[in-house]
Amino acid sequence: MALAGSDSMDEGKGETFLLRAIKIGGVVALYWFISITMVFLNNYLLDSKDLDAPLFVTFYQCLVTVGLCYGMHLLSHFCPGVIDFPSVKFDLKVCREVLPLSIVFIGMITFNNLCLKHVGVAFYTVGRSLSTVFNVLLSYVILKQTTSFYAILCCGVILGGFWLGVDQEGVAGSLSWTGVFFGVLASACVSLNAIFTKRVMPAVDGNIWKLSFYNNINACILFLPLIIVFGEVGHLVHFSRLGDPTFWGMMTLGGVFGFAIGYVTGLQIKFTSPLTHNVSGTAKACAQTVIAVVYNQSSKSFLWWTSNLMVLGGSSAYTWVKGMEMKKVHIPQEESREKLLGEKSDAGV
């Protein structure tokens, strides 16, 4: 999705350094604001003592995303000069093709929210830190892709930070093994989600917003029996704030932020680069942890902070290593192509 008239980065080459820096700073700040707010908002909704229905909360957010995708689709027709959004007409065949990804997607968002519910925002970064490790492991098992020694070394640092963080939560008496378990499952599902996304993208013409539309439709359908099986209907029936507009406003806002994070993520990558986006995400996670500790007026040990730094440092180092490896692969390809063009030029082609 993009607002019509948003220029490509090539068109921005004539901008002054100050204007470009302000634009990038604004985009990064917007990404941080939406991402951090979404985490705290979800924590507020899931940590409710009156309503123990995490599956319903997640289902409703998926429903809001479907509604927003269709709403943006309609707006793009009524305001073609302002809103640019792909057509998202329902197609049962596409739904079936996206279904395997949707099953993984349900696991990812459900375990993610359950981890947040049990460990809180402060430990959330460490609790959900094994995504990179699972990326390496599952890429080898499923895709048969090997990983360099330095990348594996970075994963070792992340693992060390994870175990140190778990140990320090235990020492502080605030460890939730249930939350850690859900965090590990969420990390595995995040990696599987990336793998399955690549496989089903052709079914939606390579469009991420079409994929989001069909993915969330499938999720809404699949969540309904899960909500019944896990007894959340009873919790909803006895929930005292079921008719409270404020409650539904917060629920809807959570869905809106969930939809918006996809847009601002793409926007940050567009204005910077995938590598810079990953670094920004790591820095955001650090700020998020500090905000949570200050907000909750918690006292954390030196080793607890060390575990967070190990996780964030290992993740940043992994991103840098993979970026350098991609450059090494890209440069010889460019040199080979230039050499071939030179040979053709010498031959008079």
Side-chain angles (χ1 to χ4, degrees), residues 259-278:
F259 175 83
I261 192 65
Y263 175 64
V264 295
T265 296
L267 198 64
Q268 180 169 248
I269 292 172
K270 174 186 173 182
F271 273 82
T272 58
S273 69
L275 178 61
T276 305
H277 165 68
N278 287 330

Side-chain angles (χ1 to χ4, degrees), residues 58-81:
T58 312
F59 157 78
Y60 185 78
Q61 292 180 345
C62 291
L63 193 63
V64 170
T65 297
V66 172
L68 286 171
C69 283
Y70 193 72
M72 294 303 299
H73 157 72
L74 293 177
L75 282 174
S76 68
H77 282 282
F78 290 117
C79 310

